[in-house]
Amino acid sequence: MTYTPYHIDGEDRDSPWLITCDHASNTVPPDLGGTLGLHDSDMARHIAFDPGAAGVALALGRALGAPVLLSNFSRLVIDPNRGEDDPTLLMKLYDGSIIPGNRRADAAEKERRLNAYYRPYHDALARLAVRRDDTAIVAVHSFTRQLRGRPTRPWHIGILHAYDSRLSDPLIALLEAEPDLTVGRNEPYPGHLPGDVIDRHALHQGRNNTLIELRNDLIETEAAQEHWGERLAPMLVQALAQVPE
């Protein structure tokens, strides 16, 4: 099978929603030898991808009748949710793990990876986003409950946003009304990096947007991922209806 740096599920779905999963996969492409020299246990960790996020994104897309764009390369290969000039675009050390396959990656190799993986992903996202004038982008991510040597994170879900919180504000209010959830605004980390997916494809065009971070131990199984997709879909619809025109 020919390698492609992204996958689109439901490309023919006509919906204002566009779901992205920027860290969907821990795949290392064949032209990198299929490995970055890390143990399988490290490649199964959050450092390589967002565990469970792809399943949630797919379930959310089905529930909303929306296309879903999923990356098909590990964030350790090159991170599609960073600007091209971001120093964390191509990581050589992440949460205590040295990335052997990146140790000698120079400017030329960075440019090659941008052209081979990163830019095709963003081109596909841009193409999907312009299909409608009312596109609303929802980026689905997951976070680990505890980084090495750090405190446990208390949130079940975080909603991240930059200066445009039109969609995020009502979504947070709806989530906070759920008695079983601890909700973070711009947690477990700030919600905006220059050149990231939301900045590049939503903020500059004035599109409604939000970024959802789910704690990855809550979405380990297909059933849990389906549950969260179906739970979030009606909240997103309700939140969008509250956005001022």
Side-chain angles (χ1 to χ4, degrees):
M1 183 180 293
T2 302
Y3 171 80
T4 56
Y6 61 85
H7 171 71
I8 302 172
D9 185 68
E11 184 168 4
D12 58 346
R13 295 171 184 159
D14 185 22
S15 167
W17 299 102
L18 171 56
I19 314 301
T20 70
C21 191
D22 311 314
H23 301 144
S25 173
N26 60 358
T27 298
V28 178
D31 58 3
L32 284 171
T35 177
L36 292 171
L38 285 168
H39 292 295
D40 289 347
S41 58
D42 270 328
M43 291 303 295
R45 294 174 60 214
H46 70 98
I47 65 171
F49 73 126
D50 282 356
V56 174
L58 290 167
L60 190 57
R62 290 191 294 270
L64 291 172
V68 183
L69 176 67
L70 305 104
S71 67
N72 191 29
F73 53 94
S74 171
R75 67 196 301 170
L76 296 178
V77 170
I78 195 160
D79 193 332
N81 197 37
R82 296 291 186 272
E84 292 196 13
D85 59 352
D86 192 302
T88 64
L89 179 70
L90 202 163
M91 296 287 280
K92 301 186 178 185
L93 175 69
Y94 197 163
D95 194 20
S97 294
I98 295 171
I99 319 303
N102 290 348
R103 290 180 69 179
R104 294 178 176 83
D106 57 11
E109 174 59 13
K110 173 183 167 183
E111 184 67 15
R112 190 195 71 80
R113 295 188 194 186
L114 283 167
N115 286 326
Y117 323 122
Y118 177 105
R119 288 171 181 150
Y121 178 80
H122 281 274
D123 289 346
L125 205 166
R127 176 171 56 80
L128 290 168
V130 298
R131 297 189 310 168
R132 294 179 57 126
D133 293 335
D134 59 348
T135 295
I137 297 178
V138 179
V140 179
H141 291 253
S142 71
F143 66 94
T144 189
R145 189 169 191 174
Q146 185 174 23
L147 295 173
R148 289 177 175 174
R150 303 285 185 89
T152 301
R153 292 162 164 172
W155 309 282
H156 299 101
I157 187 170
I159 302 300
L160 278 56
H161 63 83
Y163 51 84
D164 179 3
S165 60
R166 291 173 297 164
L167 180 58
S168 296
D169 286 341
L171 179 59
I172 290 169
L174 290 165
L175 288 164
E176 287 179 336
E178 299 285 301
D180 61 327
L181 296 181
T182 299
V183 183
R185 180 188 290 271
N186 285 330
E187 299 288 0
Y189 19 72
H192 177 241
L193 290 170
D196 66 13
V197 162
I198 293 295
D199 181 57
R200 184 168 174 172
H201 298 281
L203 296 179
H204 288 283
Q205 298 81 4
R207 294 180 177 125
N208 282 305
N209 67 88
T210 194
L211 190 153
I212 297 171
E213 286 273 1
L214 280 161
R215 209 175 71 201
N216 59 29
D217 63 309
L218 303 177
I219 50 173
E220 291 179 336
T221 66
E222 288 186 18
Q225 294 156 19
E226 190 72 28
H227 163 78
W228 274 101
E230 293 178 352
R231 184 175 186 178
L232 289 168
M235 292 187 187
L236 282 162
V237 171
Q238 189 174 346
L240 187 61
Q242 296 178 41
V243 174
E245 294 190 9

